[in-house]
Amino acid sequence: MKWIDVYLQEVERRLPEKNREDILLEIRSTIEDMLPENSTEEEVKGVLQELGDPVKLAQGYSEKPMHLIGPRYYDTYISLIKMILPIAITISLITLVAENIIGSVDEGSLIMMILAIVGEGVWRVISVGVQVFFWITIIFALIERVDLGIDDEDLRSQRKKWRAEDLKKVAHVPKKRAISQWEVYGAFLWTAIWGTVYFHADQLLGIYENQGAGLTFVTPALNQDTLLSYWPGVVLVIGLEIALSLYKLLKKEWTKGLVWFNTVQEFLSIGIFVWIITNERLFQPAFINYIADLFGVNAAQVESGLTWRIAAIFIIFAVWNIIDGWVKYKKGTKKTKVSHELVK
Amino acid sequence: MSQLLNSLLTEQRRGNLTLAVLSQLRTPQYGYSLVKRLEDSGITIEQSTLYPLLRRLEKKDLVTSSWDTSESRPRKYYVLSDYGEGVFQTLKEEWKQATNELFRLLEEENNEMD
């Protein structure tokens, strides 16, 4: 009997909690069915051999998936990792530079410092990579298990049967109107970069001077407290940019809704940008004086000159983006009309 | 080569197995009696596959089960449900048609080779 008990114990610890007793009872009764009366130890071993590996037997009863992430979610999982990983790494590297750039450096320790930053950078990239990988994997493994109630068959029957006619509803995307994945990708990355720079502006933007002994960070250009007081507006713009990028990813072409969203978003960011840059306390006096000395003009001229120049550049870019969206949208529609007429 | 052949064979048998098991469950059977019946008809089945399969069939309402405790040892009996009977008949017809077609296909290929 000892052989049977050990065998059943091996099965038991791998069985799902539910029905455990019932399953064990059935296996025990099966084993007894297979044995002749007053069986010898050899016969017991033979029967257990026939029943096979207890691990395999227990696996058969398992109701949980035997994989972490199955084919249903694998594609989404991989593309999400590919998208988030570079963004997370970029943000962490910008932050690293921001933290290390302050203070003067003398010649001798410059190389040491660069080495230290590179070392730290490699370490950060690895740890951020591991974090991203870990959390996305955990989330997907959970999704895989939570959904278990729905069978694959249910899922398929819920989806309407596909007919070739359905292709009519999917508009063929003309090349001119199409938004490539790389464009969306770049947009995400750009949002991540300027967002990070915004929150570390006092450490990154400023005057660097070569005073014969390596680079020295003379003065930050902006007053970080003033800059940060606009954070709700900036966070709003970041949110809208991300939403716009997701919308682009979804639509894959310039549609009327998308062009309007783009227009509204650009105008809003012009508004907030101008609002921030016209704040008198935005620039550090030391920075203004430095520029004034450099060009031999007075501080007030520098301040107004800088303000309108930067604002102008920003507005030109924003307006360019708006026009670009509309042009791509219009071009696309014209082309489709022509090709429709050709078909007729 | 042989490993590939093994996995292909397992795949091929898997579908047939359900049909074979369902066909034997029109009268109540317990685990080992089912194994015996299948083996007598020349169908070998790994027991570690069969018992979990019975559970899954029960979960999908194709068979019902009950414990018989009147004998010296308790036995779990499985029998086809009405729903299972319907599914079994459909599967059987499908299988007959499919094997006929496959058989014809393989015969044609035989003739071409001659």
Side-chain angles (χ1 to χ4, degrees), chain B residues 85-98:
Chain B
E85 174 71 33
V87 170
F88 167 61
Q89 290 303 336
T90 319
L91 276 181
K92 191 168 80 175
E93 288 313 312
E94 283 290 326
W95 191 85
K96 276 184 181 166
Q97 207 183 327

Side-chain angles (χ1 to χ4, degrees), chain A residues 18-19 22-23 25-26 29-30 32-34 50-51 56-57 60-61 63 151 153, chain B residues 30-32 39 46-48 51-52 54-56 59-60 67 73-76 78:
Chain A
K18 225 172 72 186
N19 300 330
D22 198 72
I23 293 170
L25 201 60
E26 188 184 8
S29 118
T30 307
E32 282 164 10
D33 276 332
M34 291 161 82
E50 200 183 322
L51 213 50
K56 233 179 114 191
L57 182 60
Y61 289 104
E63 286 164 21
D151 265 344
E153 296 150 44
Chain B
Y30 58 93
Y32 192 56
E39 273 178 359
E46 277 191 46
Q47 304 201 38
S48 59
Y51 303 127
L54 286 170
R55 297 263 163 178
R56 280 198 294 278
K59 208 177 166 196
K60 296 198 167 143
W67 280 97
R73 73 174 73 94
R75 276 174 180 154
K76 195 172 193 185
Y78 294 90

Side-chain angles (χ1 to χ4, degrees), chain A residues 220-280:
Chain A
L222 305 174
N223 193 336
Q224 188 71 6
D225 289 337
T226 313
L227 192 60
L228 283 184
S229 66
Y230 291 95
W231 73 266
V234 173
V235 169
L236 178 71
V237 173
I238 292 179
L240 281 177
E241 268 194 23
I242 293 174
L244 182 68
S245 297
L246 286 176
Y247 196 22
K248 280 181 183 170
L249 196 66
L250 217 68
K251 284 281 172 190
K252 294 189 180 71
E253 65 169 324
W254 286 100
T255 62
K256 201 163 195 179
L258 193 54
V259 175
W260 274 112
F261 189 163
N262 185 47
T263 310
V264 170
Q265 191 262 332
E266 290 290 358
F267 273 123
L268 194 81
S269 38
I270 290 178
I272 288 177
F273 187 82
V274 171
W275 184 30
I276 295 176
I277 204 158
T278 49
N279 188 317
E280 283 167 4

